[in-house]
Amino acid sequence: MSTPTTSPAPAGPGGLAPKIAAEEEARVSAGRRFIDRLIRARELGLLVVLALIVIVTGVIEPNFLDADSLKQTVLNVAIIAVMTAGMTLVIVTRNIDLSVGSILGLSAFVCGDFLTKNPDVPWPVGVVIAVVIGAACGLLNGVLVTWGRVPALVVTLGTMYALRGVAFLVTDGRQINAEDLPDSFLTAGSGDLLGIPTLIVVALLVIALFWFVARDYAWGRQLYAIGSSGRSGGQAAKLAGLKSDRRVTQAFVISGALAGLGGAMFAARYGTVDATAGQGYELRVIGAAVVGGVAIAGGSGSVLGAALGAVVLGTIQTALIVLKIDDFWQQAIVGLLIIVAIALDRLIAKQSEALLRQRSARRRTAA
Amino acid sequence: MSTPSTTTPLVALDDASRSFGAVRALQNASLALRAGEVRALMGENGAGKSTLVKILTGVDRPNSGTVLVDGEPVVFHSTADSRDAGVAVILQEPTLFPDLSVAENVVMGRHPKRSFGRVDRPAMKKTVQGLLDRLGVDLDPDRPVQGLSIADQQIVEIAKAMSFDARVLIMDEPTAALSGREVERLFGVVRALQERGAAVLFISHRLEEVYEIASVVTVMRDGEVVHDGPLSELPEDELVRRMVGRDVTQLFPKSEPKIGEVVLDVKGLSREGVFYDVDLQVRAGEIVALAGLVGAGRSEVVQAIFGVDRATEGTVTMLGNDLPLGKPTAAVAAGMALVPEDRRQQGLVMDMSIGQNATLARLGDMRSRGLLSPKRERAEAERWGERLQLKYGRLGDAVGTLSGGNQQKVVLAKWLGTEPRLLIIDEPTRGIDVGTKSEVHRIIDELAGQGLAVLMVSSELPEVLGMADRVLVMFEGRVTAELSRAEADEERIVRAATGRVSAPATQEIA
Amino acid sequence: MSTIAPTAPAPDRTPSSPRSEDSRLKAILGRWETLILALIALVFLIGSGISSEFLTGESLTTGSSDFTEYAILALPLTLIIATGEIDLSVASVLALSSALMGYLWNQGLPMEGIIPICLVAGALCGLLNGWLVTGLGLPSLAVTIGTLALFRGLAFVILGDESVTSFPTGYTDWAFGNFAGTVVPNTIVLFLVLAAVFAVVLHRTPFGRAIFAIGANREAARFSGLRVNRIQLRLFILSGVIAALAGILLTLRNSTAAGNVGEGFELTAIAAVVLGGVSIFGGTGTIGGVLLALILLGGIQKALNLDPDISTYWVNIVFGILLIGSVLGPNLAARVREARRINSRGTRPPRPGRSAAPQSGPGGEGNSNA
């Protein structure tokens, strides 16, 4: 019953070990720099792509670089970018939220409806209502996913349907028009704060907030840990004592709340709201996150990258309009970008894997 | 019978029993873990070791008996409770967050904070660097865990245990996936912990390791503690006898081989970073063993031969025909069969029935008039069930309801039904009770007697010595020795498996 | 060769009767389908209560033909989901096929040429999805979110926002028409034929068995010599072809080709598959279950549309709830059973003798003294 031994291999000659260690150290730090570069490459790469789009479009059609045109571009992105921040948190935990478009539609209408009927109430109350409705929908999603153990894809597909139905029921065929809404609300939507459009200020604040929270706070790091361990059954998160269910629910609540905020922004910016508001937004938001480097499998990607993804997609959209390229190309290009982004991620991952393997092979032969 | 000791054990189990239905997994077991002591826990699979570990780590609770921490009775309701009591467990397969850095893996759940509640990254890095330094290992705290070797991942697990001041370290087969050098490094770390006053419970099937690292031993059999005492008073053969409950002789009835034509011919097979220049031949009626330590690349070689892994170089020839690399279907068509090491993940579809699993590799033969015939499937599964003396309730039951040995027979049935010319079998008796073990050996021997070529990967030396007509030994991805049945003995194999190729009778290949 | 001589009959093997083993399996599988059947009965009862028109032949004809495309899309999706993957792009392929059909008709091609071209285009779309998933190893969810946008976009690129309506009446009449003097629409007959083929393929061929094996344990399937990647690639191509076929049918039925047709159809199709008892993680499911789920969803839609007082948007709400409920219900039932089992055994350990220390102290504590 004896088994092959692992009795110690003879220790290497005295001089060899430190040398190997030193080499190893050099290799490790080189590897680290390489990996650092990869991580930063995503945000940098997006910036490069963005600059290229802006420059090329600007050269062909200088109008594109007008302050007004740029402002419109960024305004169009603001709502998507806000929702992308929430979506990033959800995807990082290895889940997905398909219901954000429906949440936007529902909260935009309720917010607009409330402000129309109560013109004397200050408009921020309407915004709060939209956010609370969104958060409640997110809570429903989160509870069904964690407590009900229903896959997020199924849950949010269901609530995407159901909430859109609720939005139709609530609107009952009505539409809110800009003239019904209080002027102060519309001014807030189209106006400036310190010379910057309010919606952009809101978007920047939201992105900065959740970028920091996800990067620099234990809460955010736990989201990454949960998504990362989810691939192997979540055992690691359990052993680390993480309250996975609670964190995942919180991520869904935030995603819902930000979709609600997006609803208020939508009402304030466009003035016109009906039950179809925000239809198809879920795909634009997920697309932005994926282009921004958020892995669908969970555990990696940053809020900043995802927001940049939203900006790139939004800029392409306006650039196409400015360049008078058929509007119809838009969606095709967005789809293509999503595929290229994930394919590139995969190829880079394969490359670095091969590098690591070679390195460990070299270590073996050196030893 | 316990060694008298004056110190109070840090953690102890007193008279604990645990049953699952009618199965008594643990009966009146007691065990004490004292500061500065490395205790080995020995026993065959199913002896109750893992139940005991689960109770000590708060995963499971005993039906009767108590857990004591510093002499006080406690109840662990979760792993968090046991962790707070200073108990840490290192599993064979580390459970880490692959996307996160080494440092973050160590502190997850307990991030150091600075102003405004932010994560204090410099402090985190410094702490973890300190831990790694104290363990004497060279690992960058900032690099992601993804891509680390199993050995390095275990070091991260140990650093994690140290970071919350674990006083008791339970190591459940930590060396199973490590190479010799990595085991040495791990033992260095264990000794360092021991000197700092930690108690260690070390579980391993490798006797030499146990004698090297542990000072006291608890031996379990059939859910009971059958021995507890200093290891120095217990010679190896006596230890084995207590584990098995009888003398271990003549486990393997080996019949005289009738060796025929070359069935499998592998030349220069390499997989970048995993194994290099593997040449091997297996003839009809011959049993060739691929011996070596876990992690030497043996499973990877046979998986590349079968085609589930893609080799980067080399040729695989079956009965004179070259096989395309990386195409298991072609390998099966050429008469190759692989019984993999990991039954649950690779050998069987656990949710499918016994019958469906037994016919999965030859669905094409289960057709009548173009469609799958349940009748034929049942008949085939029953035929093989009978031949292999499979013990089951219904063929429609999920295969997961069978014992390990019977699951292995289902995998065998699946492949023998394809009438292979070559059977590759990776760790044929891992996780199988002693009784079924010899049955599996008898089956393999009979198959070889009928002219089947057998390539067997095994980490159990007696199995290799008892079964093989020829032994190839691998070390760190290369074949370091090829020994005939007459040449093969324990010492030569061990030497080659640890990279010390100097025995005169050994043909050096590498 | 390779015969192990049977030494002795295995003593403790209970003789297995094939009948009981089958019926037991069926009982487990059947429970879910029974539930859906009951729901269908309920919907039809309520439906005929709402309006006497509900159960007339004409109503069933329009009701079922309105559901044809969802139903057809659900067939290949069942196979794909059974392998544990997903294809969200089916409705976009449908639209691409419709737009291509309109474009080619405008170019003056004959229908006999257009239909094969559309099917080939669908196959190419599926090939792209399948190659990205099997060749590059990308997650199918992300891939098909991308191709959902890409194919829809291409549909708009091909046809813009025009629509083509001048299709030959020979074809449109067939698509409108009923089968040989019955009330069953031709398109539904086509669907039923397809469903029968899919059912046989999934449940009675090695290919179908391999699909379940892949869904239940991809690695074990590979280790059994099954061509996992090839099978998945074929399924995606199949999905593309069938979606293109659905696009052709929809175009003919409405005698309108446009780039915006079928938006959101993929969701209804997925809802039917999941509601039909196919695990979203793969490994289990039946075409029969999906068929029943389609009848249920179609019935609900028709019933709710009949009553002028009920907002048609209740359909969305009911679909959504059914979809979630179809997974939540069994989960909760399993949990209740589990809880009852534990309670009945009564093996709860005594309450703690020592209360556990607070789980997470101040973050830095553990590290500072380590």
Side-chain angles (χ1 to χ4, degrees):
Chain A
M1 190 67 213
S2 106
T3 48
T5 67
T6 48
S7 37
L16 198 61
K19 202 180 135 205
I20 292 172
E23 271 175 31
E24 186 52 30
E25 199 171 344
R27 241 179 260 134
V28 162
S29 64
R32 193 171 92 207
R33 260 180 278 132
F34 175 72
I35 284 157
D36 272 1
R37 254 208 319 273
L38 278 185
I39 291 164
R40 252 181 252 131
R42 174 44 72 105
E43 273 120 30
L44 250 159
L46 284 169
L47 284 176
V48 170
V49 170
L50 190 61
L52 275 176
I53 298 168
V54 171
I55 291 168
V56 169
T57 317
V59 167
I60 301 173
E61 195 60 68
N63 289 345
F64 181 65
L65 296 178
D66 282 356
D68 196 50
S69 160
L70 286 180
K71 185 175 145 186
Q72 287 306 318
T73 307
V74 189
L75 271 178
N76 286 336
V77 173
I79 297 172
I80 295 287
V82 163
M83 293 163 81
T84 306
M87 183 67 76
T88 304
L89 301 184
V90 170
I91 297 181
V92 155
T93 65
R94 202 179 155 75
N95 284 293
I96 198 154
D97 188 353
L98 293 171
S99 69
V100 288
S102 298
I103 294 176
L104 180 142
L106 180 63
S107 55
F109 186 84
V110 173
C111 165
D113 198 36
F114 174 81
L115 290 176
T116 311
K117 286 175 180 156
N118 305 287
D120 302 331
V121 176
W123 61 263
V125 176
V127 175
V128 169
I129 288 176
V131 171
V132 168
I133 289 174
C137 297
L139 182 65
L140 177 67
N141 283 334
V143 167
L144 286 170
V145 168
T146 56
W147 175 79
R149 301 266 160 252
V150 182
L153 187 67
V154 174
V155 166
T156 58
L157 191 59
T159 51
M160 168 185 173
Y161 260 112
L163 293 174
R164 183 65 69 189
V166 171
F168 274 108
L169 281 184
V170 171
T171 56
D172 199 17
R174 286 174 299 156
Q175 180 176 334
I176 291 169
N177 296 312
E179 51 263 35
D180 308 329
L181 287 168
D183 286 343
S184 57
F185 184 56
L186 293 172
T187 318
S190 52
D192 290 356
L193 201 73
L194 308 167
I196 308 168
T198 318
L199 291 188
I200 293 170
V201 174
V202 171
L204 287 177
L205 283 177
V206 166
I207 291 163
L209 173 67
F210 287 104
W211 183 39
F212 280 123
V213 166
R215 204 191 58 163
D216 280 349
Y217 281 81
W219 183 88
R221 303 315 299 163
Q222 291 182 11
L223 296 185
Y224 286 88
I226 290 162
S228 196
S229 78
R231 249 170 288 155
S232 46
Q235 193 61 24
K238 206 191 233 167
L239 286 176
L242 304 187
K243 299 187 174 78
S244 299
D245 284 359
R246 192 176 296 180
R247 294 288 167 271
V248 169
T249 308
Q250 287 162 345
F252 273 105
V253 169
I254 289 171
S255 174
L258 290 180
L261 179 62
M265 291 164 78
F266 187 97
R269 169 152 166 71
Y270 298 107
T272 315
V273 185
D274 61 15
T276 62
Q279 223 158 29
Y281 271 39
E282 59 280 343
L283 294 177
R284 290 167 68 181
V285 169
I286 294 169
V290 168
V291 169
V294 181
I296 280 286
S300 73
S302 82
V303 173
L304 183 68
L308 280 173
V311 174
V312 167
L313 292 186
T315 311
I316 288 175
Q317 205 172 341
T318 356
L320 290 175
I321 297 169
V322 170
L323 294 175
K324 304 200 179 59
I325 293 176
D326 228 341
D327 196 27
F328 308 123
W329 279 99
Q330 245 185 56
Q331 221 173 350
I333 289 176
V334 168
L336 205 61
L337 263 179
I338 293 175
I339 293 166
V340 168
I342 51 173
L344 266 181
D345 277 348
R346 176 80 195 136
L347 292 178
I348 290 170
K350 263 190 182 165
Q351 204 73 42
S352 63
E353 229 168 75
L355 248 160
L356 279 171
R357 231 197 355 254
Q358 273 170 18
R359 202 176 299 150
S360 75
R362 249 183 282 137
R363 185 161 66 177
R364 272 194 173 172
T365 30
Chain B
M1 63 182 176
S2 170
T3 349
S5 172
T6 45
T7 55
T8 314
L10 298 180
V11 169
L13 197 62
D14 186 29
D15 204 24
S17 299
R18 177 74 171 105
S19 322
F20 300 96
V23 183
R24 309 184 73 174
L26 204 61
Q27 285 182 62
N28 309 100
S30 299
L31 175 119
L33 300 173
R34 292 190 168 79
E37 203 173 70
V38 177
R39 175 178 290 271
L41 180 59
M42 304 292 291
E44 293 209 286
N45 290 310
K49 291 175 306 195
S50 51
T51 308
L52 191 144
V53 169
K54 278 180 185 160
I55 288 172
L56 284 178
T57 52
V59 176
D60 197 7
R61 282 154 293 276
N63 299 121
S64 67
T66 41
V67 179
L68 302 156
V69 174
D70 296 322
E72 298 286 318
V74 295
V75 175
F76 291 152
H77 286 280
S78 67
T79 46
D81 286 359
S82 67
R83 196 184 67 184
D84 292 336
V87 179
V89 60
I90 312 290
L91 300 169
Q92 183 180 338
E93 295 275 332
T95 48
L96 294 167
F97 308 110
D99 299 290
L100 304 185
S101 70
V102 168
E104 202 149 26
N105 264 282
V106 172
V107 303
M108 183 49 70
R110 300 161 295 120
H111 279 98
K113 310 254 168 67
R114 57 176 170 175
S115 56
F116 306 111
R118 285 175 302 158
V119 170
D120 190 345
R121 276 176 210 275
M124 176 172 98
K125 186 179 170 186
K126 216 177 117 203
T127 313
V128 175
Q129 186 71 66
L131 289 171
L132 293 172
D133 287 348
R134 215 157 55 210
L135 291 171
V137 292
D138 181 32
L139 257 180
D140 179 3
D142 280 340
R143 69 153 292 165
V145 161
Q146 207 147 38
L148 284 182
S149 69
I150 298 276
D152 284 344
Q153 291 187 36
Q154 266 168 353
I155 299 293
V156 177
E157 288 277 14
I158 293 171
K160 196 157 80 179
M162 285 171 67
S163 79
F164 53 82
D165 277 331
R167 302 177 301 157
V168 177
L169 203 58
I170 298 173
M171 308 179 91
D172 194 354
E173 295 199 50
T175 54
L178 303 193
S179 72
R181 189 170 297 109
E182 289 166 335
V183 169
E184 256 328 285
R185 192 170 68 153
L186 182 72
F187 281 4
V189 169
V190 170
R191 287 193 192 97
L193 290 170
Q194 187 186 0
E195 276 158 29
R196 291 176 57 228
V200 177
L201 183 65
F202 184 81
I203 302 170
S204 173
H205 286 300
R206 300 180 184 173
L207 292 180
E208 287 78 2
E209 284 180 5
V210 167
Y211 277 95
E212 189 190 339
I213 192 78
S215 53
V216 285
V217 64
T218 297
V219 183
M220 296 189 68
R221 190 173 68 231
D222 302 328
E224 288 179 88
V225 172
V226 293
H227 180 86
D228 186 329
L231 202 51
S232 52
E233 294 170 10
L234 193 67
E236 208 169 289
D237 50 350
E238 180 63 25
L239 171 59
V240 172
R241 197 171 303 124
R242 300 215 168 168
M243 281 166 60
V244 182
R246 58 183 161 83
D247 281 327
V248 188
T249 46
Q250 277 307 310
L251 270 174
F252 316 117
K254 167 84 181 157
S255 35
E256 211 36 54
K258 299 184 286 286
I259 292 173
E261 56 178 333
V262 174
V263 175
L264 174 74
D265 193 357
V266 174
K267 283 205 176 74
L269 201 68
S270 300
R271 181 173 160 84
E272 179 73 37
V274 185
F275 57 84
Y276 299 93
D277 290 327
V278 172
D279 293 334
L280 63 86
Q281 278 191 347
V282 188
R283 291 163 180 275
E286 188 184 31
I287 300 177
V288 175
L290 208 48
L293 300 174
V294 176
R298 297 164 305 160
S299 294
E300 290 80 355
V301 168
V302 294
Q303 288 181 11
I305 292 173
F306 188 67
V308 283
D309 277 351
R310 188 181 280 275
T312 41
E313 256 175 90
T315 56
V316 176
T317 312
M318 269 293 280
L319 298 162
N321 301 317
D322 272 6
L323 289 185
L325 296 178
K327 298 246 184 286
T329 317
V332 175
M336 212 187 274
L338 171 66
V339 177
E341 179 187 3
D342 186 344
R343 267 192 303 279
R344 303 188 70 85
Q345 282 306 313
Q346 301 170 334
L348 296 167
V349 181
M350 297 311 264
D351 294 332
M352 281 188 159
S353 71
I354 298 165
Q356 288 175 335
N357 269 290
T359 56
L360 194 58
R362 48 191 187 120
L363 289 170
D365 298 342
M366 296 298 118
R367 284 180 301 188
S368 93
R369 275 171 283 139
L371 299 181
L372 280 183
S373 154
K375 216 166 110 193
R376 183 169 298 186
E377 279 188 282
R378 199 157 42 231
E380 278 299 295
E382 263 170 13
R383 187 162 73 95
W384 283 102
E386 236 159 75
R387 282 193 190 168
L388 299 174
Q389 291 178 280
L390 182 68
K391 297 184 181 71
Y392 61 95
R394 294 194 176 93
L395 281 176
D397 289 345
V399 76
T401 58
L402 297 178
S403 71
N406 280 304
Q407 287 180 9
Q408 185 73 317
K409 286 184 186 174
V410 176
V411 185
L412 275 170
K414 172 170 92 175
W415 285 117
L416 295 181
T418 65
E419 309 206 333
R421 298 296 310 274
L422 169 73
L423 178 70
I424 304 174
I425 182 161
D426 196 351
E427 300 290 359
T429 54
R430 170 159 298 174
I432 290 177
D433 46 286
V434 182
T436 323
K437 228 173 198 175
S438 54
E439 217 179 318
V440 170
H441 290 139
R442 177 184 58 77
I443 292 168
I444 295 174
D445 187 56
E446 280 184 31
L447 289 168
Q450 288 154 14
L452 187 67
V454 178
L455 178 58
M456 173 180 86
V457 174
S458 175
S459 300
E460 295 195 29
L461 217 37
E463 188 168 87
V464 170
L465 293 172
M467 299 287 300
D469 299 307
R470 206 145 47 81
V471 182
L472 298 182
V473 189
M474 284 188 72
F475 169 69
E476 311 246 299
R478 286 171 196 279
V479 176
T480 48
E482 178 167 355
L483 308 166
S484 69
R485 184 169 176 78
E487 291 165 338
D489 62 27
E490 201 161 322
E491 196 203 330
R492 282 183 181 138
I493 292 176
V494 167
R495 276 181 161 279
T498 49
R500 287 167 292 173
V501 189
S502 53
T506 308
Q507 294 172 261
E508 198 165 326
I509 287 176
Chain C
M1 61 147 291
S2 72
T3 38
I4 301 288
T7 36
D12 54 344
R13 201 200 97 194
T14 22
S16 76
S17 105
R19 188 171 298 273
S20 72
E21 144 205 337
D22 263 5
S23 64
R24 220 178 69 141
L25 245 170
K26 284 218 176 83
I28 295 166
L29 291 174
R31 216 178 301 152
W32 182 248
E33 278 140 29
T34 323
L35 188 70
I36 296 188
L37 267 175
L39 282 174
I40 291 173
L42 188 72
V43 166
F44 276 72
L45 264 175
I46 295 173
S48 36
I50 289 173
S51 163
S52 54
E53 285 167 35
F54 184 72
L55 274 179
T56 62
E58 195 200 335
S59 146
L60 291 183
T61 303
T62 55
S64 56
S65 62
D66 283 348
F67 226 69
T68 314
E69 288 78 24
Y70 300 117
I72 289 180
L73 292 181
L75 292 175
L77 262 178
T78 302
L79 271 51
I80 287 184
I81 292 178
T83 65
E85 303 288 337
I86 198 154
D87 185 355
L88 291 174
S89 72
V90 284
S92 297
V93 176
L94 178 149
L96 182 60
S97 154
S98 175
L100 192 62
M101 200 171 160
Y103 173 80
L104 293 175
W105 181 248
N106 271 355
Q107 299 297 308
L109 258 72
M111 283 307 269
E112 295 72 29
I114 292 173
I115 289 173
I117 292 176
C118 286
L119 294 178
V120 169
L124 289 176
C125 291
L127 182 66
L128 178 64
N129 280 332
W131 177 72
L132 288 167
V133 172
T134 60
L136 286 186
L138 302 175
S140 56
L141 180 64
V143 165
T144 57
I145 282 176
T147 54
L148 179 151
L150 176 65
F151 299 152
R152 174 75 63 184
L154 289 178
F156 284 125
V157 169
I158 290 173
L159 206 56
D161 49 8
E162 10 166 0
S163 51
V164 179
T165 53
S166 56
F167 291 104
T169 47
Y171 283 89
T172 51
D173 283 351
W174 179 85
F176 280 129
N178 287 350
F179 186 71
T182 63
V183 293
V184 186
N186 281 324
T187 50
I188 285 295
V189 173
L190 180 63
F191 162 72
L192 288 175
V193 170
L194 278 177
V197 172
F198 270 84
V200 168
V201 167
L202 184 60
H203 299 300
R204 280 288 172 268
T205 65
F207 187 75
R209 179 66 57 78
I211 286 172
F212 285 128
I214 292 168
N217 185 342
R218 201 186 145 85
E219 206 179 351
R222 238 162 59 79
F223 271 81
S224 300
L226 301 178
R227 294 177 158 101
V228 173
N229 276 341
R230 186 187 292 194
I231 289 170
Q232 271 178 345
L233 183 67
R234 283 183 183 173
L235 287 181
F236 276 104
I237 294 173
L238 180 69
S239 172
V241 173
I242 298 286
L245 176 68
I248 294 168
L249 290 182
L250 184 67
T251 308
L252 294 178
R253 249 173 15 85
N254 297 337
S255 38
T256 308
N260 66 353
V261 295
E263 244 160 18
F265 275 25
E266 68 277 354
L267 303 178
T268 310
I270 291 169
V273 174
V274 173
L275 184 59
V278 182
S279 161
I280 197 89
F281 300 120
T284 58
T286 62
I287 291 284
V290 174
L291 214 59
L292 289 176
L294 285 165
I295 296 173
L296 177 61
L297 292 181
I300 290 171
Q301 193 172 46
K302 187 72 194 165
L304 290 177
N305 282 345
L306 277 178
D307 187 341
D309 293 337
I310 299 178
S311 166
T312 51
Y313 306 115
W314 274 102
V315 174
N316 280 1
I317 298 175
V318 174
F319 277 20
I321 291 171
L322 271 177
L323 178 58
I324 297 171
S326 68
V327 183
L328 183 65
N331 277 2
L332 293 186
R335 211 182 291 180
V336 168
R337 266 200 306 278
E338 179 73 7
R340 212 178 282 159
R341 203 169 56 82
I342 289 170
N343 277 350
S344 67
R345 260 197 303 159
T347 51
R348 274 201 77 76
R351 294 310 298 169
R354 172 187 105 147
S355 64
Q359 216 189 342
S360 47
E365 200 184 80
N367 302 309
S368 53
N369 52 10

